[in-house]
Amino acid sequence: MSRLDTAAPLAPLPITTLVSTDLIGVTRGRSFPSDELPHYVTAGCGWVPANSALTPQDIIASANPWGAYGDLRLVPDLSSRVTISNGPDAQAPVLDFIHCDIRETDGRPWGACPRTLLHDEVERYRTELGLQVFAAFEHEFNLNTTPSQPDRLAFSLQAQRQQAGFAGWLLSALRAGGVEPEMFLPEYGKHQYEITCRPTLGVAAADRAVNVREISREIARQMGLGLSFAPKTAENAVCNGVHLHLSLQDLSGDPVLHDAASSNGLSSLGQHWAAGVLHYLPALCALTAPTPLSYERLQPHHWSASYACLGQRNREAALRICPTVSLGGKPVANQYNLEFRAMDATASPHLAMAALLVAGRLGIEQRLALNAVTDEIPDELNEEQRRARGIIALPTTLTQALDCLRHSGALLEALPAPLVETYFALKAQELALTQALSPAERCEHYARIY
Ligand code: GLU
Ligand code: MG
């Protein structure tokens, strides 16, 4: 008998991917047959240091610290595995990936890994402050329909129905992926939607943000829809934000941000935390609103953020005390959370959340006093009024934001040097590579990437 007669027909092997979401929020990795996972559990798979210096333009920043040298490992965190067995395209292979920490080949943490940075900061909250961090990221995005599908009205049932198939698959896949989806809603913009999920503890919250992005892209691709999380997808489009909701609990699980006796409900710990975030906000923007396009969104009257202030129920405030609801009887302290709005999906969720936590921690450690609290629209105050309230303007360009980060003292010092060096190198190159783009081209360019 020839070999041909006995050979079994081939079938595609299910594959598993070890992934790292990098400094520019792009998820990258390497795949192998799923049944070989046991080989990769302890030592992970290979990775290259200079990958971390990739710009969104897919060019490795020339000034990065490693060049052609060095080797790393992507070491999986098995608790973060996401497996989605099927979707709207019956032929689509299983989506199976595991978030990783980047380590040296001897297992030491690698200094430019954003997930390690977030892990370490969350650990610091636990051990030094006795606090647990809960967070959830809300994502807005554009879902492009075929030209024959008309624009539907903002927030309408018709807009919802136009993408009901997508919504059903997305919610199903997110649930299967352990993301605990909450709401899918049509937004204000044309073909703009939003997806929210439940808060979770520490690093898993940033992993969840990545899962929301990657699973949404997967479902859209399987359905032949164009999807973009870019902060602005066309010159006249309503902007897409990422809002990070955050609350703190003590180690026995009691919420600590709320104090019913304080005027805005914020406990004294919460006030210091918020003061830290507001103090470092111009510098934080370099990490949370990290592309030239991000500054088209951080403008007055966009319901995003253009000044460093805290507002109660005020959507023009960069940091917002979210509404609590007395209907239903859930204790206020358990609902109480702060929403950081100066963020978009061109940011690495791990890096952005870590930096925000550092800023809040510095506020607590330095016992910074909270000012810049307002329920007025900061742009409608005059310069004098803003000064009197301690409200400062946010950077209006990425270049300004990077300068603020460079001069942010304790915030910059809290970030690992190799990460910072790589980040400045790649952002400088990104600015150079995009400077000739017109505003319309810039939207198109980033809409394709994110
Ligand atoms: N689209 C707005 C943004 O860019 C947010 C609107 C809202 O409050 O949901 O952040
Ligand atoms: Mg929204």
Side-chain angles (χ1 to χ4, degrees):
M1 225 196 279
S2 76
R3 278 193 66 217
L4 266 182
D5 298 325
T6 56
L10 292 184
L13 284 174
I15 60 172
T16 299
T17 310
L18 299 188
V19 300
S20 165
T21 299
D22 68 9
L23 301 174
I24 59 166
V26 173
T27 302
R28 306 180 201 265
R30 296 184 180 184
S31 303
F32 47 82
S34 299
D35 57 6
E36 291 183 14
L37 176 60
H39 297 304
Y40 298 99
V41 165
T42 313
C45 69
W47 200 241
V48 177
N51 289 4
S52 292
L54 272 158
T55 60
Q57 290 67 42
D58 238 5
I59 289 171
I60 294 176
S62 38
N64 82 75
W66 304 284
Y69 298 104
D71 286 284
L72 299 165
R73 305 300 292 176
L74 291 185
V75 179
D77 171 355
L78 292 184
S79 70
S80 73
R81 185 171 185 176
V82 171
T83 308
I84 314 285
S85 54
N86 68 308
D89 171 3
Q91 302 303 316
V94 173
L95 171 67
D96 186 28
F97 61 89
I98 309 176
H99 296 278
C100 296
D101 295 314
I102 309 179
R103 295 185 176 273
E104 305 278 2
T105 49
D106 62 5
R108 278 175 302 139
W110 188 54
C113 170
R115 194 171 188 271
T116 303
L117 173 67
L118 177 57
H119 174 271
D120 291 352
E121 188 56 31
V122 165
E123 212 30 42
R124 219 164 155 167
Y125 267 65
R126 207 177 58 77
T127 55
E128 292 177 18
L129 304 175
L131 295 173
Q132 311 188 73
V133 179
F134 278 82
F137 292 72
E138 295 176 347
H139 285 85
E140 293 171 332
F141 58 96
N142 287 94
L143 199 52
N144 290 327
T145 49
T146 54
S148 60
Q149 289 183 289
D151 293 345
R152 296 298 183 189
L153 298 183
F155 316 118
S156 69
L157 179 60
Q158 285 306 313
Q160 181 90 252
R161 293 303 300 159
Q162 196 169 55
Q163 295 299 354
F166 174 85
W169 275 111
L170 177 63
L171 292 171
S172 171
L174 289 173
R175 189 182 274 179
V179 173
E180 297 191 291
E182 227 166 23
M183 288 272 170
F184 178 90
L185 54 135
E187 254 288 353
Y188 184 48
K190 300 290 177 227
H191 308 295
Q192 189 189 30
Y193 295 87
E194 174 168 328
I195 179 81
T196 67
C197 59
R198 299 216 155 79
T200 191
L201 197 58
V203 175
D207 290 347
R208 241 177 215 193
V210 172
N211 299 344
V212 163
R213 296 176 197 182
E214 292 306 319
I215 294 172
S216 302
R217 289 176 178 132
E218 175 75 19
I219 301 297
R221 183 175 51 247
Q222 289 190 26
M223 296 183 77
L225 297 167
L227 179 144
S228 180
F229 291 99
K232 200 171 181 185
T233 53
E235 253 193 305
N236 59 356
V238 174
C239 294
N240 291 319
V242 171
H243 303 161
L244 173 52
H245 291 257
L246 197 132
S247 62
L248 300 172
Q249 297 181 357
D250 65 21
L251 298 183
S252 50
D254 288 326
V256 297
L257 282 185
H258 182 250
D259 176 358
S262 107
S263 63
N264 50 19
L266 205 50
S267 64
S268 89
L269 179 110
Q271 305 215 14
H272 292 311
W273 191 88
V277 171
L278 295 182
H279 178 77
Y280 290 103
L281 194 60
L284 283 176
C285 286
L287 304 165
T288 63
T291 55
L293 183 62
S294 301
Y295 295 84
E296 307 270 322
R297 172 177 169 264
L298 291 190
Q299 301 216 353
H301 308 293
H302 279 53
W303 288 18
S304 59
S306 44
Y307 293 91
C309 61
L310 173 76
Q312 197 150 17
R313 301 187 174 206
N314 179 356
R315 290 184 177 77
E316 285 280 315
L319 195 60
R320 185 171 81 116
I321 300 173
C322 287
T324 53
V325 182
S326 50
L327 260 179
K330 188 175 172 193
V332 171
N334 293 66
Q335 303 174 42
Y336 202 81
N337 71 86
L338 293 171
E339 178 189 40
F340 181 82
R341 298 172 66 86
M343 190 185 298
D344 66 63
T346 61
S348 148
H350 299 89
L351 177 56
M353 181 171 161
L356 189 71
L357 289 177
V358 170
R361 173 171 58 78
L362 293 171
I364 294 172
E365 288 170 359
Q366 298 166 8
R367 307 196 67 74
L368 293 182
L370 180 64
N371 46 27
V373 182
T374 182
D375 274 333
E376 293 150 311
I377 303 300
D379 189 59
E380 291 170 6
L381 301 170
N382 62 38
E383 203 49 58
E384 187 53 42
Q385 291 169 316
R386 279 196 292 268
R387 211 184 348 265
R389 290 162 179 74
I391 298 173
I392 48 171
L394 295 185
T396 57
T397 63
L398 176 59
T399 305
Q400 279 178 18
L402 289 165
D403 276 344
C404 293
L405 180 59
R406 239 176 237 114
H407 298 111
S408 64
L411 174 66
L412 188 69
E413 281 160 28
L415 304 174
L419 184 150
V420 166
E421 192 185 337
T422 311
Y423 195 78
F424 282 125
L426 79 85
K427 287 295 157 188
Q429 189 125 1
E430 177 177 356
L431 280 163
L433 288 166
T434 54
Q435 67 177 356
L437 297 177
S438 70
E441 288 168 340
R442 197 157 47 214
C443 294
E444 236 175 78
H445 175 76
Y446 282 100
R448 253 184 283 117
I449 301 167
Y450 289 97

